[in-house]
Amino acid sequence: MESALKHKFPIGATVYFTASNVSRPAATGTYEIIRLLPTEGDDCQYRIKSSTEAFERVAKESQLAIS
């Protein structure tokens, strides 16, 4: 039986996002956790939003750090 991974950051938390995908540039900086998403492999995922952008992004937990 697979054990469910737990999200490290709660909704509303402020985190620092570091873009890692060179082919799809993203703004590195401070974001707010908007929604917890299902895991992908061994990495939890989040929907994040920057106050300087009009749209939301999807980020893996490995791309986030406490701000």
Side-chain angles (χ1 to χ4, degrees), residues 1 5 7 9 15 28 30 34-35 39 50 56 58 66-67:
M1 179 186 265
L5 294 174
H7 288 80
F9 307 105
V15 294
T28 296
T30 303
I34 301 299
R35 190 176 322 147
T39 59
S50 170
E56 297 176 355
V58 173
I66 295 173
S67 178

Side-chain angles (χ1 to χ4, degrees), residues 19-26 63:
S20 65
N21 190 343
V22 178
S23 66
R24 184 189 264 177
Q63 295 175 289

Side-chain angles (χ1 to χ4, degrees), residues 23-63:
S23 66
R24 184 189 264 177
T28 296
T30 303
Y31 288 76
E32 179 184 352
I33 302 290
I34 301 299
R35 190 176 322 147
L36 307 180
L37 299 175
T39 59
E40 182 178 283
D42 291 337
D43 220 349
C44 292
Q45 295 189 109
Y46 300 83
R47 178 144 331 249
I48 59 173
K49 171 94 173 65
S50 170
S51 61
T52 62
E53 297 177 326
F55 51 90
E56 297 176 355
R57 298 181 180 276
V58 173
K60 293 182 180 184
E61 193 166 273
S62 58
Q63 295 175 289

